[in-house]
Every structure is written in structure tokens, then in C-alpha cells.
Amino acid sequence: MSEPYFPQRGNEGYRITNYELGLVYRVATNRLDGGAVLTATATGPGPLDEFTLDLSQAMRVDRVAIEAGHRVVRARHSRRADKLRVIPAEPLAAGQAFKVEIRYTGAPKLMSSQFGGLGWEQLTDGALVASQPIGAPSWFPCDDRPDRKASYTITVTAESAYHVAANGVQVSRRTGGAQTTWTYRQDEPMATYLASVQVGKYRSIELSNRGVRQNVVVPPRFVSRAKTAFAAQPRMIEVFEKFFGPYPFAGGYTAVIADDDLEIPIEAQGMSIFGVNHLAAGWENERLIAHELSHQWFGNSLTVVDWRDIWLHEGFAAYAEWLWSEASGQRSADEHARRWHQRLAKRPQDLVLADPTPQHMFDDRVYKRGALTLHALRLTVGDVAFLGILRDWTAANRHGGVRTEDFVKLVTASGNPAMPRSDSFFERWLETRKLPPLPPA
Ligand SMILES: [Zn+2]
């Protein structure tokens, strides 16, 4: 079944378990030479005589080959819009493991969407990747759906003046001549939209090596401002681990400060990308640091099966901001909730939280009503039960795919006596347009 919000994305007949991407990037000309080896299995029921991948039409495909049973055979391919169609020389039997090797090249262009351009973006002196939700095919061939997670090895070669960051653990960095090759390994499963490469004249500074390893990758002239702006983050991780369970990724957490102003920061796996405009002091930027960090649990470890359930990312991340505010001795979550409830009450109530439509999936009302839903749940079941729900939710679905119905089930199955009619609670908050009243504090 196709993904309901972006049915043009995703492909059938196989599943990819690992992406091995080898990229050579020339900053000055924005030229990307790519090699991708995708490890996959044919899913049947019948033999796979052709299949498609998502890849931007801005990338020219030079060669496709299939490796099956230790034989590498060239495959025919054709293009239509942002799809690459592959026709193996021999059909692949159901259940057969195989690898697809694709050589491609071009000047990456942003994928167009109702949210503006997405994916690989050339900066004044570097590049960034911000793909959510459908920008991944701008830079690599993939099966572009949030429920198709896989492991990754990402190798990028660029001129040695540039720092390259990508998802996962940095396993090597080799300089030869004027070029440096960086290799990162992402073992925990990752959705395509969270795969990311950042290229710039950056310095990497260590924020903390106690517990979760934390780095800030930043233009040298912003180092001291970045240290100040991110000073609270190590404490934030400790607080979130208490609420949400262990930080999910072995590679630690890297905040990249692109040498540019960005409208909003964006999360990737084990990484978030901010603009230099986000380094100013104040709650507005502190809450964004907390928001992006919390996506490592809600969005990256627990990823929606389809985009209708985006509140499971954004509502939880918005609530994490309020939890941090409360835990750090600032405004309480209840104060935030009551202020936002008043504001939302004055705005159009025409969204269904559990299916906001693709046009409104990143509408701030989805974020804030999602957070209000969690606060209403907390007020209903009490702090202790609420904390238990959060921790059970993240533990049960670690590195997996999630749906709204799974969350409702988890809460109702907990048998909390304070929730006699939990179905009606969720119906009012998740399925009904009208904003329900907040329970008393
Ligand atoms: Zn977010």
C-alpha cells in the first residue's frame, strides 16, 4: 500500500537493509559523483523482473548492476520523473538477497514540494542536507518512505579545507593530496529522510564526553557563541534520558551550525542542523535546541510508519520543550500548556491531529495541540503514570515504526484507573477538530 501523504514515493517488490554510499563532492561547482550499493531482498510473492527506486531526475545514472549469488551483471535501466527503473538481466526469485550498484552524477537540485525545496542544498561555501519529508532522492537512490529503515555507510570525499559530517560513528578520515575522505557508519536503523551530509569550513568542538558524546560543528568565528548557546545541552540530555530512556544512538549527538541563517533548525539521525541565527541567547533558541534533541527519541528512534501520524514526532518534541523548561526551573509545563491552549482556542480549529493532511503536517497547531494532548494525558493519569507511559513507549518501539493506534493501545492497556474512558479521551484530542478543554492542574 502506498504511503498516504506522498504516494509517489516508496517502491514495492523488495526491501533494502543497508545503504553504502560513496560520494565525491566538489563544493565550488556543486558536483556530486555518487556510487550506491544497496543490499536488498526480493519480497515476492512472484519473481522480481523489474523494480523502481526514488532518485532525482537531476542526477544522471551511468551504470546499474545487480549482484546476486556472487555474480555481478549489468542491468538495464530507464528514468521517468524522479524514479529510476531497473530491469535485472534475470528475474530475482522471491526471498533472494541481492545488491544493486548504481553509479550516478550531477549537480544536486532540491526536490520541490509544498514545503519548498528539500534535500541536498548548496550553501555559499559548502552544502547541507535537510530532507524531511521527501528530499532524500536529491542525493541518493533510495526507497523513500519513513517506514523503510536501514543501516548506512556514508563515505564522502571533499577538498581538505572542508569538514564533512554525516550520520553515525566516524570510522575513518584519510587525507590524500588535496582531498580528504570521511567515512561514517550508522548501524541503528535510519529512515531515508534522516540521512544527512553537512559540508563546510567548520571546526568540531567537543561539548561533552561524559555519557553521550556531544559535538558542535561550527564555523570557527562562531565557536565561542556556539559554546554559550549549547551550554545547557549536556544537562538536557540527562533530563531527557530520565523522561524518555537511554539516548538511542551509539554515535552520539552532533549539532551542526551551518554558516548561514536558517528559517528553522532540522533534525537528522544523531545530528541536528541549526543556522548561525539560532545562536542568540534566550528561550526561543533554547527551546529549539531541546526540540531538535528530543527528536532523537521521537522521530528518529521511534519513526512514524506513515506521515499522517506526524504528531508522534512533533507533538512529543514540542512537549519536550516544556518538560525541559520545567526541569530547568523556568516556566512549568502547565503554564506553557495553558498559554498555548488559550492561543489555539483563538485560531481556526479545522485540523485533525491524527491526520492533519499533507498541507498542514508541519503546521504549528499540530505541534502545539500534540503537546497539549500529552499534557492533558499527564493531568489525567498523574505524573508517575505519565512518566511510565513515556518510558514504556520509547522502550517498546526503540528503533522501530510507530502509529497513533499503538500509542492509544499502550495507554489504554496500562489499565490506569484515572482513565475510565480513555477511548473518548483520545477521540476528543486526536480525532476531533474542536479543541477540548484542558483538565484542571
Ligand atoms: Zn520538530
Side-chain angles (χ1 to χ4, degrees):
M1 218 172 66
S2 42
E3 203 283 323
Y5 280 11
F6 304 101
Q8 74 277 25
R9 287 301 162 73
N11 307 278
E12 296 308 326
Y14 65 92
R15 285 290 185 279
I16 297 170
T17 53
N18 184 65
Y19 290 82
E20 200 180 319
L21 307 177
L23 312 173
V24 178
Y25 185 58
R26 251 169 277 281
V27 174
T29 52
N30 188 39
R31 186 187 169 83
L32 186 68
D33 290 307
V37 180
L38 317 179
T39 304
T41 304
T43 48
L48 189 61
D49 48 18
E50 63 168 74
F51 60 90
T52 54
L53 287 154
D54 299 298
L55 179 65
S56 161
Q57 51 197 320
M59 303 312 280
R60 190 186 78 210
V61 171
D62 294 327
R63 182 176 190 274
V64 179
I66 304 269
E67 182 188 329
H70 304 295
R71 280 202 322 141
V72 182
V73 181
R74 250 182 114 138
R76 285 193 295 136
H77 69 271
S78 63
R79 305 300 303 277
R80 193 159 82 191
D82 295 319
K83 289 284 183 190
L84 166 65
R85 180 163 155 261
V86 177
I87 303 131
E90 285 171 35
L92 298 154
Q96 187 171 357
F98 66 98
K99 288 183 180 184
V100 201
E101 302 173 10
I102 299 151
R103 295 233 43 105
Y104 59 102
T105 185
K109 281 221 312 249
L110 291 168
M111 312 292 293
S112 59
S113 79
Q114 61 259 61
F115 318 109
L118 302 170
W120 187 289
E121 182 171 2
Q122 186 180 21
L123 298 173
T124 313
D125 193 15
L128 68 72
V129 173
S131 294
Q132 186 172 183
I134 50 166
S138 65
W139 64 286
F140 68 102
C142 56
D143 185 19
D144 192 26
R145 286 176 56 144
D147 57 337
R148 307 277 167 82
K149 290 188 179 188
S151 55
Y152 286 69
T153 299
I154 302 175
T155 299
V156 180
T157 301
E159 286 153 90
S160 298
Y162 295 92
H163 181 98
V164 175
N167 317 90
V169 181
Q170 187 187 306
V171 290
S172 71
R173 182 177 127 182
R174 288 194 191 90
T175 298
Q179 309 265 308
T180 299
T181 298
W182 309 67
T183 299
Y184 290 85
R185 175 72 197 157
Q186 174 65 61
D187 280 320
E188 297 97 348
M190 175 163 76
T192 46
Y193 81 93
L194 294 169
S196 191
V197 170
Q198 309 292 324
V199 183
K201 287 191 176 134
Y202 298 138
R203 253 183 68 194
S204 180
I205 54 168
E206 195 176 71
L207 211 55
S208 173
N209 59 9
R210 278 185 45 229
V212 178
R213 198 175 50 78
Q214 296 164 63
N215 282 74
V216 179
V217 167
V218 56
R221 67 188 190 285
F222 289 104
V223 164
S224 84
R225 281 179 63 190
K227 278 183 179 162
T228 308
F230 284 82
Q233 191 185 269
R235 176 81 190 112
M236 259 178 214
I237 291 202
E238 285 173 22
V239 166
F240 286 170
E241 287 196 313
K242 196 180 93 197
F243 288 127
F244 314 141
Y247 178 81
F249 303 110
Y253 183 59
T254 301
V256 177
I257 319 298
D259 197 355
D260 230 320
D261 285 355
L262 300 186
E263 197 186 329
I264 46 162
I266 183 88
E267 78 275 15
Q269 190 145 311
M271 184 196 285
S272 294
I273 303 103
F274 297 81
V276 288
N277 53 313
H278 297 121
L279 296 178
W283 169 248
E284 201 44 40
N285 287 325
E286 188 177 336
R287 82 168 179 90
L288 293 173
I289 292 171
H291 180 106
E292 302 311 328
L293 171 61
S294 72
H295 274 310
Q296 300 304 320
W297 286 265
F298 307 109
N300 304 4
S301 173
L302 283 71
T303 311
V304 292
V305 171
D306 70 57
W307 290 110
R308 283 180 300 201
D309 292 327
I310 184 73
W311 84 277
L312 293 173
H313 298 179
E314 300 302 348
F316 281 69
Y319 197 60
E321 299 169 24
W322 301 351
L323 286 173
W324 165 249
S325 172
E326 181 169 291
S328 59
Q330 306 180 68
R331 203 186 292 270
S332 72
D334 196 65
E335 287 172 77
H336 283 290
R338 293 194 190 274
R339 276 162 63 112
W340 275 104
H341 191 275
Q342 279 182 2
R343 287 181 199 171
L344 286 197
K346 292 185 195 126
R347 285 162 68 176
Q349 292 168 37
D350 55 1
L351 290 181
V352 172
L353 188 56
D355 187 2
T357 74
Q359 287 70 35
H360 294 294
M361 61 185 280
F362 297 116
D363 189 309
D364 194 48
R365 291 174 295 165
V366 171
Y367 291 45
K368 296 306 191 303
R369 181 155 168 172
L372 287 171
T373 302
L374 293 173
H375 192 62
L377 179 63
R378 176 179 169 186
L379 293 173
T380 305
V381 301
D383 281 4
V384 174
F386 179 69
L387 187 63
I389 288 167
L390 288 179
R391 294 200 57 145
D392 288 350
W393 176 240
T394 51
N397 298 290
R398 192 171 162 90
H399 303 311
V402 287
R403 298 176 189 275
T404 295
E405 66 203 59
D406 303 331
F407 184 68
V408 172
K409 231 180 260 166
L410 181 129
V411 173
T412 49
S414 70
N416 189 294
M419 292 208 60
R421 298 288 311 276
S422 26
D423 283 357
S424 71
F425 173 91
F426 286 115
E427 209 177 283
R428 279 184 293 133
W429 281 98
L430 301 175
E431 312 287 346
T432 310
R433 290 182 166 78
K434 190 172 155 24
L435 182 69
L438 267 183

